[in-house]
Amino acid sequence: MSCIGTAGHVDHGKSTLVKALTGIDPDRLTEEKERGMTIDLGFAWLTLPGGREVSLVDVPGHESFIKNMLAGVGGIDAALLVIAADEGIMPQTREHLAILDLLRVSRGVVALTKVDLVDEEWLNLVREEVAKYLKPTTLAEAPIVPVSAYTGQGLLELLSALDDLLQHVSAQKNIARPRLPVDRVFSLAGFGTIVTGTLLDGVLKVGLDVEVLPQGLKTRIRGIQTHKQQVASSQPGSRVALNLANVARSDLVRGNVVALPGQLHTTMLLDARLQVLAEATNPLTHNTFVDFYSGSQEISAQVRLLESDEVQPGQSAWVQLRLQKPAVVTRRDRFIIRIPSPSLTIGGGEVVDISPRYHRRRQKPIIESLERLMHGTPEEFILAALDRRQVVKWTGSAKTPHGLVGYTLEEVVKQSNLAHDVTQQTLETLLSEGRVCKVGVFWFTQAAWDTLADEALRLVQDWHQLYPLRSGLSKEEWRTRLHLTPKLAAEVFSVLQATGKLEQIEAAPIVPGSGQMRSGGLIRIPGFQAQFTAAQQQQVTRLLELFQASPYVPPVLSEADAVAGSEVVNALLEQGTLVKLGDGILFLRVTYTEALARLVAFLQENGKITAAEARDVLGTTRKYIVPLLEHMDMLHITRRSGDERTLVHH
């Protein structure tokens, strides 16, 4: 399906022609019918002689309603430029044509209306004038068809010309990122809120959860209509009416965008290539405030010129637009700018980057980067998309990569604004050339992957150096410091493990059946072993002598820390030399194992044991025996009943 937008001066017969072609009056408002002048957008549709169904967006021609015209021409495939034969080219003819040219609408038909009011000689003069005026524009090759909506003259020829024109229009691309710029909002009793627009970049289906931007409102599609017919789904390029659930009419306005949740984001800063109209009366100067139009959005903006202090009429320049409120745009979107007072269209252009940094002016590397984005190949677009988040986060005196992330294929498609199959093929080519790297389902530039892999290893190496007595770094802390999602972290670790650069220390119980685990979820450089320094080894020897001298009344945790230091004690616990019970009771492992065996033997001989008896068996105190007995309960070796414990028989 295709969409055609009208254009032309007020009272040149746009709406009358649309009604003659379709049988539908595009003027919806009472004021429009009373004044005989289109004020807002109107909509109609027809089937061309070749069977193609097309939508028509009828725009107002009066200069006071140019912003309404701009809201309707953003997604059209072709233009129907209407020029009255009795008047010829008029001011809004020029402005509308300039807008179509800036938007790069390259297909169109010119309808010379009201030919019943002029003679043949005059008609030929007007035709020549129009053809000459079109020559420097994107509509230079547009056929010119004389018509009369009143007598019917030329209507069949006009339909045939439109049919021929659209035969060569490619289907709107589907990059699986649907967006509907809203150009009308209304409500109907029994249905609720309805929005209309021309669907771009993807398919919408009944039942899908969607969000309305920039507000971020969550809603669901209850129903879809195209040309007042209920449909289950809608294709890119079609005029669509969406019935939205659980959202109030008052919450939505023209300029909103309906999209799938999380696929599009707002921006208040964008880089663009701007063309100033040759007809502009003054140059565009740095920091000029303008009205920015894209899709159905109208937003105040400040134009920062990146190369000079002004841009002369007819020239183009690199600019950064600082928007006064959030916009929803994508790379390659066309836009128009107008100065607010006096209200005039002065230029337009193409969005090149929707999430740039704030640029300093007159920086050659920045201009060169923008040139590459503007004129780049699919390979360059994809590499730029994969490089989106290569930023540095400063942490104290050290800097660490922040956001060295990979992208899934679907994310690369959306970032690069290329078709799915083109993106896939290009990525595979870049992979074979060694310019990108695939890690699981994630794609990186090779440079980004190398940096991330180096940083992932450096974190573990630094940890070993900082804590030489610890077996490894917590896997979760490693992931957090690298700013990776759990899924991406798992893929990154899997690759580094497979290449022998990192290894995981499997969790092991302190004793069989215990809930206490040793060395769980840790990663290390392969071959790393915790080793005591000579001084630390002396501390270890001294501490172990204290444990051996009084095995069942040994130092508690705080006392052990005072003798050898917490790092040494933790290392002995991690190695299994010491066993910790409760809040701070420590035993040598050999003592712990012996204690369990002696208590079990007593139980086997006597059938039960009290805390006092257990204390006497081991020659210890209540301070030590109670945590040990509770530990045996936890291991299901014993079962407590009052002051007594019995063996649990397995």
Side-chain angles (χ1 to χ4, degrees):
M1 187 176 295
S2 300
C3 185
I4 299 172
T6 65
H9 194 73
V10 63
D11 201 33
H12 276 205
K14 294 184 296 298
S15 300
T16 302
L17 180 60
V18 168
K19 185 175 181 180
L21 292 172
T22 67
I24 300 169
D25 186 354
D27 287 340
R28 301 174 285 104
L29 307 177
T30 302
E31 183 180 357
E32 290 177 315
K33 297 182 184 300
E34 290 176 350
R35 295 173 61 177
M37 182 177 71
T38 300
I39 295 172
D40 204 352
L41 299 176
F43 309 100
W45 56 90
L46 78 160
T47 301
L48 294 173
R52 178 188 292 263
E53 191 172 3
V54 298
S55 305
L56 283 124
V57 179
D58 185 40
V59 305
H62 196 282
E63 63 178 340
S64 299
F65 305 111
I66 192 70
K67 61 180 63 178
N68 293 341
M69 178 268 182
L70 285 164
V73 296
I76 63 173
D77 297 296
L80 177 58
L81 180 60
V82 178
I83 302 174
D86 60 336
E87 291 189 332
I89 295 171
M90 297 291 283
Q92 294 320 117
T93 310
R94 295 186 176 90
E95 186 167 19
H96 282 204
L97 183 57
I99 289 169
L100 294 174
D101 192 49
L102 290 168
L103 294 177
R104 296 295 185 263
V105 178
S106 59
R107 293 180 175 86
V109 175
V110 178
L112 284 183
T113 57
K114 305 184 182 182
V115 295
D116 53 309
L117 301 181
V118 300
D119 57 30
E120 191 68 24
E121 183 180 0
W122 180 262
L123 179 61
N124 289 332
L125 288 173
V126 173
R127 188 199 297 268
E128 290 175 9
E129 177 195 27
V130 170
K132 182 178 179 181
Y133 195 79
L134 292 177
K135 277 201 172 182
T137 75
T138 55
L139 297 183
E141 303 300 322
I144 301 172
V145 183
V147 298
S148 170
Y150 295 96
T151 67
Q153 177 185 343
L155 293 183
L156 291 178
E157 289 82 356
L158 179 58
L159 289 172
S160 180
L162 290 171
D163 205 5
D164 291 342
L165 180 74
L166 295 176
Q167 293 294 332
H168 306 290
V169 173
S170 302
Q172 289 260 5
K173 62 183 177 181
N174 179 359
I175 60 171
R177 188 195 57 199
R179 53 177 171 142
L180 186 79
V182 174
D183 52 35
R184 186 182 174 208
V185 184
F186 60 97
S187 59
L188 289 177
F191 292 91
T193 302
I194 297 171
V195 298
T196 70
T198 303
L199 183 61
L200 305 174
D201 295 346
V203 174
L204 289 177
K205 298 179 181 180
V206 173
L208 281 180
D209 290 327
V210 293
E211 66 176 340
V212 181
L213 298 168
Q215 304 96 309
L217 295 174
K218 306 299 183 186
T219 181
R220 178 176 51 82
I221 300 175
R222 294 174 57 185
I224 302 177
Q225 281 194 2
T226 293
H227 302 165
K228 293 193 175 181
Q229 298 295 314
Q230 294 286 343
V231 294
S233 63
S234 53
Q235 300 299 314
S238 59
R239 287 293 305 174
V240 173
L242 301 181
N243 183 197
L244 301 178
N246 304 316
V247 61
R249 157 70 184 88
S250 57
D251 291 335
L252 307 180
V253 294
R254 174 179 286 174
N256 289 162
V257 177
V258 179
L260 297 184
Q263 285 203 338
L264 294 176
H265 303 282
T266 60
T267 183
M268 295 182 68
L269 188 69
L270 54 88
D271 292 338
R273 186 67 179 176
L274 176 67
Q275 174 75 40
V276 176
L277 288 175
E279 296 81 8
T281 55
N282 295 299
L284 176 67
T285 58
H286 177 61
N287 279 340
T288 296
F289 281 91
V290 299
D291 291 330
F292 168 86
Y293 296 86
S294 179
S296 57
Q297 301 166 98
E298 175 192 355
I299 300 173
S300 295
Q302 185 180 28
V303 182
R304 298 186 66 244
L305 302 180
L306 298 179
E307 300 169 277
S308 61
D309 291 327
E310 63 180 24
V311 185
Q312 295 295 327
Q315 293 183 346
S316 60
W318 288 109
V319 301
Q320 190 162 61
L321 295 171
R322 301 182 66 180
L323 307 175
Q324 301 300 298
K325 62 180 183 180
V328 184
V329 293
T330 66
R331 194 176 62 80
R332 295 296 193 193
D333 280 356
R334 304 293 303 183
F335 65 89
I336 299 295
I337 61 168
R338 308 184 83 231
I339 53 173
S341 180
S343 184
L344 291 172
T345 300
I346 59 169
E350 181 177 317
V351 175
V352 174
D353 194 346
I354 62 170
S355 54
R357 300 181 188 179
Y358 183 83
H359 298 317
R360 293 176 59 191
R361 301 175 65 214
R362 296 184 172 90
Q363 300 295 305
K364 186 177 179 180
I366 291 172
I367 301 304
E368 290 174 346
S369 175
L370 292 172
E371 290 284 357
R372 286 193 298 271
L373 276 176
M374 181 76 172
H375 303 294
T377 63
E379 288 84 0
E380 290 170 323
F381 293 152
I382 287 174
L383 290 172
L386 292 176
D387 273 334
R388 292 304 290 164
R389 303 178 193 174
Q390 306 301 313
V391 299
V392 169
K393 180 178 181 179
W394 287 88
T395 308
S397 60
K399 60 180 181 179
T400 58
H402 173 55
L404 282 169
V405 302
Y407 290 88
T408 64
L409 174 61
E410 289 69 26
E411 290 170 331
V412 179
V413 167
K414 296 175 181 66
Q415 288 277 4
S416 63
N417 216 34
L418 298 170
H420 192 282
D421 58 341
V422 173
T423 305
Q424 174 75 62
Q425 183 178 357
T426 305
L427 280 170
E428 296 294 344
T429 300
L430 291 170
L431 182 64
S432 68
E433 296 172 351
R435 300 169 70 188
V436 301
C437 177
K438 190 178 184 185
V439 178
V441 298
F442 297 96
W443 293 88
F444 293 81
T445 63
Q446 189 63 50
W449 167 250
D450 291 343
T451 302
L452 177 56
D454 289 346
E455 178 65 13
L457 296 177
R458 187 188 66 78
L459 281 176
V460 182
Q461 290 166 341
D462 289 353
W463 183 266
H464 289 330
Q465 186 172 3
L466 189 60
Y467 302 105
L469 298 183
R470 300 187 188 182
S471 296
L473 172 63
S474 159
K475 199 171 185 180
E476 178 59 22
E477 184 168 352
W478 175 80
R479 179 192 74 79
T480 302
R481 290 191 181 196
L482 289 172
H483 307 283
L484 303 179
T485 64
K487 184 175 181 180
L488 179 55
E491 299 282 17
V492 171
F493 179 77
S494 178
V495 170
L496 296 176
Q497 185 181 42
T499 54
K501 295 178 179 177
L502 289 178
E503 66 180 10
Q504 181 166 330
I505 308 169
E506 297 301 328
I510 292 176
V511 292
S514 170
Q516 293 179 297
M517 307 300 285
R518 182 172 68 253
S519 300
L522 300 180
I523 57 178
R524 68 184 179 192
I525 301 297
F528 172 80
Q529 295 292 332
Q531 293 183 343
F532 297 115
T533 64
Q536 289 169 335
Q537 188 60 57
Q538 290 180 351
Q539 294 171 327
V540 169
T541 300
R542 172 61 182 151
L543 181 62
L544 295 183
E545 286 174 349
L546 293 175
F547 275 87
Q548 292 161 353
S550 183
Y552 288 108
V553 190
V556 295
L557 180 61
S558 58
E559 294 168 337
D561 285 348
V563 172
S566 60
E567 280 295 311
V568 170
V569 173
N570 285 334
L572 292 172
L573 285 168
E574 194 172 86
Q575 293 168 8
T577 304
L578 296 180
V579 175
K580 179 184 172 187
L581 304 179
D583 291 332
I585 300 301
L586 302 178
F587 288 104
L588 283 172
R589 173 165 288 279
V590 292
T591 304
Y592 164 82
T593 303
E594 179 186 85
L596 292 187
R598 291 173 62 181
L599 293 174
V600 167
F602 182 93
L603 282 162
Q604 289 173 336
E605 183 177 345
N606 298 282
K608 58 185 179 180
I609 194 171
T610 64
E613 290 170 332
R615 178 195 62 200
D616 294 341
V617 169
L618 299 181
T620 185
T621 67
R622 185 175 181 83
K623 171 182 173 181
Y624 294 92
I625 202 62
V626 170
L628 185 57
L629 290 173
E630 290 176 346
H631 180 68
M632 292 176 70
D633 294 340
M634 182 193 72
L635 297 180
H636 301 295
I637 297 173
T638 56
R639 180 184 296 113
R640 181 179 178 181
S641 178
D643 292 334
E644 298 178 336
R645 284 174 169 82
T646 58
L647 280 174
V648 175
H649 297 287
H650 297 285

